[in-house]
Amino acid sequence: MNSNPVLAELARNGWVENRHRGAFCIYDDKGNIIAATGDIERAIFPRSAIKSMQALALFSSGAVEKFGLNETDIAIAVASHHGETEHIAAVSSLLKKIGSTENDLQCGAHVPTNRKARNQLFSTGAKPGAIHNNCSGKHAGMLAVAKALGVSSDDYWLLDHPVQKLVKTSIEEVLGEKLSSNHCGTDGCSIPTFAAPLKSFGIGFARMATGKGFDDLTKGSIKTIFDAASNHPFLIGGTGVFDSEVMQVFEGNLVCKIGAEGVFCGAIRNLGLGFALKCDDGNMLAAEIMIAAILLKYASPDAVQRDFLLKRSEKTLQNWRGLEVATMRSVVSALGN
Amino acid sequence: MNSNPVLAELARNGWVENRHRGAFCIYDDKGNIIAATGDIERAIFPRSAIKSMQALALFSSGAVEKFGLNETDIAIAVASHHGETEHIAAVSSLLKKIGSTENDLQCGAHVPTNRKARNQLFSTGAKPGAIHNNCSGKHAGMLAVAKALGVSSDDYWLLDHPVQKLVKTSIEEVLGEKLSSNHCGTDGCSIPTFAAPLKSFGIGFARMATGKGFDDLTKGSIKTIFDAASNHPFLIGGTGVFDSEVMQVFEGNLVCKIGAEGVFCGAIRNLGLGFALKCDDGNMLAAEIMIAAILLKYASPDAVQRDFLLKRSEKTLQNWRGLEVATMRSVVSALGN
């Protein structure tokens, strides 16, 4: 097996300490490669990076219409939120609309990812609940799908449940290929996650960027999802989160979404392109540095966007005394032509 | 640049999600390679994995004799401890012997690595101090060196200070080669860390295992340091820590020490061998899985040791609901002949 190239490295006082390999691809909606490096045929788990594909079930199930879901509801359903006040409010509002409560969420509990939100929660003596799970919005959306379908809502997370079957069909429609249960894992929030070739996600997001090949209903649903995400970037992640900040600075022209274990997928909407990245070792900071450098090179940034991406394609790390001791940086030479 | 082989991988429901590459070597004290894979000529930062080399300055400075330091003092000086009660007591005792206090430690503060110790500290309303830093024992030892040398003790951590010069000389004596300030970084605890070829650390630890090539004084100092570590394994790490547990189970025949960013170094004392491992991407769990598999293969374990190493060469990971979703495992086929 050939190895993917080093796309980011950690240098300690200029000498490389760590190397992070990966593969990425950028496609147009006709399936032409715009840029790629590494093994893009290898099947990767997209994890949370394809929540916008999974959310299509909100439309095809009739949940959006039945419960009158708006952009805020849809944005939090495609988010990996950091548990800040606005995020919890959005999930609560969605749950209320569909007649569910936090107790119905099957994602498991974890502390808010945002430190301030975490400390705030601890200071009240409260314990973290399922609503603080970064996937709680997606789970609330899946509850909405279950209710719209009129099926059981206590086991909506299981592989063979009608909700997950519909979600799987939605992803398959976008990718234009079947997902295999031979390459199916369980995600951090307990729903199924299907591995597929990296290139399939790049092509899928390119098609989502333009709507090419979809019927009008699906095309409209995709546009609503992408508008929801890019009009409410803070809901998608939170304070200081790359996805939120990069979507803010691209003002509606970009959808960018992280996935656990070093994945980023998304669409450069104004260019009609889709992209997918997987860092081989799952390092999240390395993946973020990589995607910033990739967007810098391929997303045709204006001056403001360029400044932002330049800043985010390198990160200085401090030690326990606050001394700057190391830098995580992208390896630009490996980023293709 | 050729890539190092994949030595550990994370599989989600059987499908590989993450790949961790690395290089390792095992040497005897004549410089013969017993086993090796990957680029062992590449200079790596050993970080905390060579605290036992750095501790030789405790002897050559006269600090051990002057302050009557015992095995407990020396063990905590070569530890990356997890901030548990016994660790804090050992550092405090060492500081008291040399007439210093926590305020003299220049390592910076961080919360105890051990969760129970951390919660205990928080429950008292106290804040983490420099003594909780996993390197506080090493820093206390360096203060002892400064005092034994009769030099300033407030800037002992700086590259040009007599303490760090003596520490550098100690490492050079063991490796049998000069360290270059061109490959010098600042460690997490602020002292200098010098990069050198991975193989140099393997050979150095092999020579330490047998004492070959050292004068009697140095040979005795090395034996005392290795005895201190392997007789007090809990002090070297703490509850559940690989280094502590593996040294416990090898009953004095093994010295094993972690270093930040995926390093392990040590000596198989009864076989007269030294080893060094660097995980390319710095992942600590992957490095631990790798070293467990390497020791399983090359350290001639008895039945009990074998059971321990087998258990530690694979780790099942749970998600937020407690479901077992992934396994980090070694790639045995890449571990050489």
Side-chain angles (χ1 to χ4, degrees), chain A residues 5-28:
Chain A
V6 175
L7 298 181
E9 57 191 19
L10 184 78
R12 186 166 293 269
N13 199 24
W15 184 255
V16 176
E17 181 163 32
N18 292 339
R19 290 163 174 83
H20 302 281
R21 295 172 183 273
F24 80 91
C25 57
I26 305 181
Y27 276 89
D28 70 16

Side-chain angles (χ1 to χ4, degrees), chain A residues 24-59:
Chain A
F24 80 91
C25 57
I26 305 181
Y27 276 89
D28 70 16
D29 66 359
K30 293 181 227 36
N32 298 313
I33 293 183
I34 304 303
T37 193
D39 183 0
I40 62 174
E41 306 282 346
R42 182 193 286 171
I44 64 116
F45 286 112
R47 312 290 300 271
S48 288
I50 59 160
K51 280 177 175 166
S52 57
M53 294 183 185
Q54 295 167 318
L56 282 168
L58 281 169
F59 294 81

Side-chain angles (χ1 to χ4, degrees), chain B residues 31-78:
Chain B
N32 298 314
I33 294 184
I34 304 303
T37 193
D39 183 0
I40 63 174
E41 305 283 345
R42 182 193 284 171
I44 63 115
F45 286 112
R47 310 292 300 272
S48 287
I50 58 161
K51 279 175 175 166
S52 57
M53 295 184 186
Q54 295 167 319
L56 281 168
L58 281 168
F59 294 81
S60 52
S61 67
V64 170
E65 197 173 9
K66 179 182 174 84
F67 298 110
L69 303 186
N70 60 23
E71 277 199 357
T72 305
D73 300 316
I74 292 163
I76 203 68
V78 302

